[in-house]
Amino acid sequence: MPHAPARLTLISAALLALAAPAPAQVNEPPRPEKVKIEIRYRIRADRDERVRQYTDLQKFLAKLGFDDARKNEPDYDLEVFEPTAERMTGTIAGAKALSVLDNPRVQNVLFEPADFVRPDADKPVAVKLGLRGGYLPGTQQQLHRQTVEHLAQLGFVESLGYDTRGYTLVRGALPSKSVDVLVKDLRYEPSGWFAPRTRVAQLPAPLSDRNPIRWAEVLPHTEFAAPLAPPAVLPAQLKYSADLRAALLAPAAKGTQLRVEVVFRDRVEDLQPLKIALRGRYSGASVDGAIGNIVHVRLPRAELVELLAQEPGVIGLRLPRQGTETVTTGTGGKGEAVADALKASRLDELHKRGYTGAGVKVVLIGSDFTGAEQLIGTELPRRTKVLDLTTELAPDLIPFKSDPTRVGTGVPAAKALAAAAPDAELVLVRIDPGCYFHLNTVLKLTRGELEYTEALQSRLAELSSRLSAFEDDRDRAIAAYKTAFADLTDNEVAVAQRKKAKADLDAVLARERELTVLSGRLTGYQKDITRTLAGAQVIVNTLVWESGYPLDSVNEFARTIDARATGPAHRVVKGIPAKPAPHVWVQAASASGAAVWGGPFLDANRDGLMEFAPPKSKLPDHSWSAALNFLGTRAATGTVAPELAAGSKLRIVVQWREATNPNFPEADTPAQPLTLRLLRQIDPTGTKRSSDELAEEARSVSVPQVIYRTPTLLVFEQMLEFSVATPGRYALAVDSPGAPDALLPVLRREVEIYPRIAIDTVGAGVGDPKVVFRSFTSPTAGVGTPGDALGAITVGADVPGTLVGGGTGLTLRGKPDILGPGTLNFGPQAASGSGVATGFVGGATALMVQLGAAGPNVFSSTGIDGAKKIQLPPAWLNVLPQGPRVRQ
């Protein structure tokens, strides 16, 4: 049976009085050639006048081809004289069924296919109802809602997301036994023995004015989508994100280690007490990093999540939020040659003047640099080094295996950077894309502010515990060995004891060798990261986080970039050494394109559903409502197919920010809670069913998670995970019922929110097809984080569809700051995306640092501004001094 929360059913193509009515975009199967029809008419007149009007009605119907089913009954001719008669039944051509209403004596009609047999009394029957029109838009919407609510007393269940045609159409299902009621005056139904259940005078206007139903059509299908019944979220799991709940349900999860991000109510100022508490309560657990109020924790067993959720101050747990790749690889020939890009940007002029990046250390951050070491000395500078920060995340200090979907994604960016700055000292840093805190780790290491990272401190504590346990075991093994070999007789017991003692001691010595190797590995790694990264002036990052951390430059790390890029205030104090020079952070802009939507929450028709486009916007050809954003699958070539393939796994995250009352800082309930709903078109072609018939396939069911809080603002996220079982066309709807009424007026919150919705195609490689928005896209949804930071040089690709803006709540922040080549050819391979552009601009940044350019945006002195493609002005080049010419 069709099912729908009340709000979903009010989707409309009309957006109140300010909105121009949208043309119908719905395909419907043609009506049957012949339908059975029941006509309710009304003639209130004396005998002679009734005869005249009745005869006129018969003639009118005869012209339409109406065949009266009672024409052969004996008393048929007497009906013309019967003042209480008001029904006619018969058949008529399907195309003429609604023309019956053109006669003013006809009150309403009910029709169905001539060969349709209604099911049993309690079985559902699909119906389509036409309502009276002519009201103002707001009143028409009221009539629609009141009619649906009144029909619910008869067992009516409204369909999902259909085109209401300006709130003049209702679709849904009604029990077979109640279908005939539709040809009566609905205001008097349901009725008891002597009177209706609700008196007409007690009904709200405009429902109480007149019968709302003009026509009712029974549709010839009896198969209905099963009601969506999402699994209930246990109270103990309300703190879990949707992806964490799904991971814990997997059979393979039990007993295995799990990495989670713990969201605390407040910023974690000191991790040491938390580390001690976790080691004491959860043997084998470790804290590997933190950024603001989000702490990255490794648990030895997934079952410990339940206990961790009960720790003081914990308001949420989730799987580590993954950074998205910004590099796409493919075959060559479609992009720009590297030499041409250098010439177009005029970086080759800097090379001729001797500025090649010599003496500048540049750090390039990516998720995988497989194959880069083989390119050192050829396509990468000879002084290139590779560091792997995933090493510190494992107890054995062995780097993580490469993710098959990310293998080598950082190499094209490294090639682009090396082409722009061939003599720079390049450090390639691999991080786990689920460790956002590693960005801050790299920043601190470059400034010499860290000796041991948080993860290394955890590994050191684990090593210390293992050494302590080893020493106890070694002492016992040596004592047992001495005791056993004190008796050198051939006695069987003595021989067995000596054999066992030797085996135990050999095992202990093997453990000693392992611990020695592990200790050396830890020491070597610690020296590598502190020495290699120290002194870097330029940091280039190709990863972008679309969710999980507050956008709009609110999150902790974006603010850190802002603060450190500008440096401290100038003070001249004798005897105090100068502060280190500010860093230049070069950041890739989001490459997700149409997979991200952002904008204000609009609900012009007040139906509780967010509209993805403002009133009067033109709807796409395949759409009938601004509240439905249809999805599609974008191939690597850029073409978008309207269907989602079976097996695709989506993770949809919506983030929004709300202002709070500082007098009530503990509030963590959103004033505008958002629910994500995924709907599927049952028959997109409209061949057998109307194309606006939808089935709800998935719904976010948990409460929104607070991921960041201050006394004046809260940042919420809601997540929906869905695996496509039935291929087809899907649409996203965002529902907001609003917060419940406050007990006191002073507690009521009115907010204006700007949601940002990101779709992640889970498990897809950088060149695989990905799910995107198809109906409504939002190029101004923001560049992601940390590209939203004012202190970062955010780089976009010079291609259509690049996301711009600092975020949905920062409409005046111009991002990206500069554009790089959209696609570069490296021999037979081509690479595109903002990540490649960022590598190229990162190399140019190294040249600018070598030149002595100042400020967080080193290009501002050249005159490049306002998200223009990198191209050094000739006038600026003409005043440059000659640089060093010796290549290192």
Side-chain angles (χ1 to χ4, degrees), residues 43 164 324 331 352 480 506 647 725 792 807 845-846 864:
I43 301 175
T164 62
T324 58
T331 56
K352 292 175 185 177
D506 289 342
T845 303
I864 302 176

Side-chain angles (χ1 to χ4, degrees), residues 36-276:
K36 294 183 292 187
I37 188 168
E38 187 173 356
I39 303 169
R40 186 170 73 92
Y41 65 92
R42 175 166 295 172
I43 301 175
R44 298 289 175 85
D46 58 27
R47 182 185 179 103
D48 291 343
E49 181 62 21
R50 175 179 171 80
V51 171
R52 187 187 68 78
Q53 293 190 31
Y54 186 87
T55 303
D56 286 345
L57 178 60
Q58 282 184 315
K59 290 178 180 179
F60 171 79
L61 295 176
K63 287 181 180 180
L64 295 178
F66 173 69
D67 185 12
D68 199 319
R70 297 182 57 207
K71 64 184 178 181
N72 295 323
E73 294 183 6
D75 57 349
Y76 173 70
D77 293 337
L78 298 178
E79 187 170 315
V80 66
F81 304 109
E82 176 56 53
T84 60
E86 60 176 16
R87 297 293 180 91
M88 290 184 183
T89 59
T91 58
I92 196 173
K96 301 288 186 179
L98 293 183
S99 298
V100 174
L101 296 169
D102 293 341
N103 192 293
R105 302 171 186 89
V106 175
Q107 301 298 304
N108 56 347
V109 297
L110 168 67
F111 56 94
E112 57 191 288
D115 57 352
F116 180 70
V117 179
R118 294 185 192 175
D120 296 339
D122 293 325
K123 296 292 185 180
V125 173
V127 294
K128 184 164 60 171
L129 312 176
L131 304 184
R132 290 190 178 276
Y135 295 99
L136 291 174
T139 307
Q140 188 71 50
Q141 184 180 358
Q142 272 187 316
L143 178 65
H144 186 279
R145 184 181 67 251
Q146 292 167 3
T147 302
V148 170
E149 292 173 351
H150 199 76
L151 283 168
Q153 300 179 65
L154 300 171
F156 177 77
V157 179
E158 195 177 9
S159 295
L160 294 172
Y162 60 91
D163 181 10
T164 62
R165 300 180 191 176
Y167 296 105
T168 62
L169 186 71
V170 175
R171 300 180 68 102
L174 194 65
S176 180
K177 63 184 179 184
S178 299
V179 170
D180 289 329
V181 171
L182 299 176
V183 80
K184 299 180 181 180
D185 190 330
L186 184 64
R187 296 175 298 167
Y188 295 92
E189 302 296 332
S191 60
W193 284 100
F194 302 105
R197 185 180 301 174
T198 304
R199 292 166 51 197
V200 174
Q202 294 176 331
L203 295 175
L207 177 62
S208 60
D209 299 339
R210 291 185 296 169
N211 179 28
I213 298 177
R214 284 285 284 156
W215 56 270
E217 180 181 5
V218 176
L219 303 176
H221 50 260
T222 56
E223 294 183 0
F224 301 95
L228 179 68
V233 179
L234 299 175
Q237 296 182 341
L238 288 176
K239 293 182 180 180
Y240 303 172
S241 64
D243 55 350
L244 178 57
R245 289 198 302 270
L248 294 175
L249 289 174
K254 191 173 183 179
T256 60
Q257 77 168 16
L258 184 69
R259 294 185 176 276
V260 296
E261 287 181 335
V262 186
V263 183
F264 284 86
R265 178 175 295 274
D266 302 309
R267 186 181 188 278
V268 181
E269 300 288 349
D270 186 5
L271 281 177
Q272 196 59 30
L274 179 61
K275 290 179 178 181
I276 295 173

Side-chain angles (χ1 to χ4, degrees), residues 833-853:
S834 59
V836 176
T838 302
F840 188 83
V841 173
T845 303
L847 305 187
M848 301 301 295
V849 170
Q850 185 184 12
L851 277 163

Side-chain angles (χ1 to χ4, degrees), residues 291-294 436 439 545 548-562 655 657 707-708 715 784-789:
I291 188 79
N293 65 317
I294 300 177
Y436 185 69
L439 301 183
W545 277 260
Y549 299 90
L551 302 170
D552 296 347
S553 195
V554 172
N555 72 79
E556 183 97 5
F557 184 67
R559 297 208 311 269
T560 298
I561 293 179
D562 289 344
Q655 182 182 122
R657 183 175 63 183
I707 63 170
Y708 186 77
V715 179
T785 193
D788 52 359

